[in-house]
Structures are given as structure tokens and as C-alpha cells.
Amino acid sequence: MAKKIVKERVTSRPLSINIQDAILKKALGYEVSEVIEEYAMVDNELILVKKKVNTKSYPPDLDAIEMALQEGRDNGKYCDMTDEALIDEHDRLMALFKKMKKE
């Protein structure tokens, strides 16, 4: 039985933008879906026998939030905030993000 794992990569944008987007993604938390397909050889043809989709959730990361904010996206607004204040701001932004996602 042969296994095939399908993954997509974004390569059409400059590396610095991809890195900034990756930091923001980790700061906000994200989900990853992985598709695993198993094939069997029947009459000299590969036939899909089993398909499994795994989804894993990654929670928001405070270090990534701090890094994203220090990279100039905050215009100095968040640099001097305490960890508790950053958590409160993160919660506010996540609520806003979820509201925008529903619309």
C-alpha cells in the first residue's frame, strides 16, 4: 500500500512578507489540516483505499504576539505593555477576528 501526503506551500510572495505572515499566524493561533491517502494496486491500477483528514489546532503564542508587535506593526503602541495587558489585547483582537470571520 502506498501513502501520499498532500501539503501546500506559498512561494509567490517575497520571503519577508511570508515571515511576517507566519509570525502573525502564530500570534493569532491557527489550524492545520493534513490529508493522508492510502492507495492499493488492483489490476495494475492504483485505487484510493482510505482517505484520512487530520486537523490540529495551535493556540495563540505570546512570544509571537510580542515579536509581531515589535516589528513595527504597532507603531510603538504595544512595546511597553505588561504581559497581562498584552493578553487582554490579544483576547480583544481574537474576539474581533472571530467576529470578522463570521461575517
Side-chain angles (χ1 to χ4, degrees):
M1 234 184 253
K3 288 188 179 183
K4 175 182 163 187
I5 298 176
V6 179
K7 293 185 179 182
E8 294 181 24
R9 292 183 183 253
V10 177
T11 57
S12 61
R13 299 186 305 169
L15 182 61
S16 63
I17 292 174
N18 287 339
I19 291 171
Q20 289 173 350
D21 288 348
I23 291 170
L24 185 59
K25 181 179 176 181
K26 187 168 182 174
L28 295 174
Y30 61 98
E31 290 185 349
V32 175
S33 293
E34 180 180 64
V35 178
I36 299 174
E37 298 175 341
E38 292 184 17
Y39 293 87
M41 185 68 78
V42 178
D43 297 329
N44 291 329
E45 288 187 34
L46 285 176
I47 301 206
L48 180 64
V49 176
K50 188 179 185 183
K51 182 176 184 177
K52 184 176 181 181
V53 179
N54 293 326
T55 302
K56 185 170 182 180
S57 296
Y58 292 92
D61 183 77
L62 285 177
D63 290 332
I65 292 170
E66 190 173 2
M67 184 182 293
L69 296 176
Q70 288 177 354
E71 288 297 318
R73 293 183 183 209
D74 66 339
N75 295 325
K77 180 178 174 184
Y78 301 107
C79 291
D80 297 325
M81 291 179 96
T82 64
D83 287 345
E84 292 81 15
L86 283 172
I87 291 170
D88 292 342
E89 181 66 7
H90 169 266
D91 293 342
R92 184 187 72 78
L93 292 172
M94 286 302 294
L96 182 63
F97 176 71
K98 287 178 183 178
K99 181 180 175 184
M100 290 173 54
K101 193 174 180 181
K102 287 180 184 178
E103 294 177 352

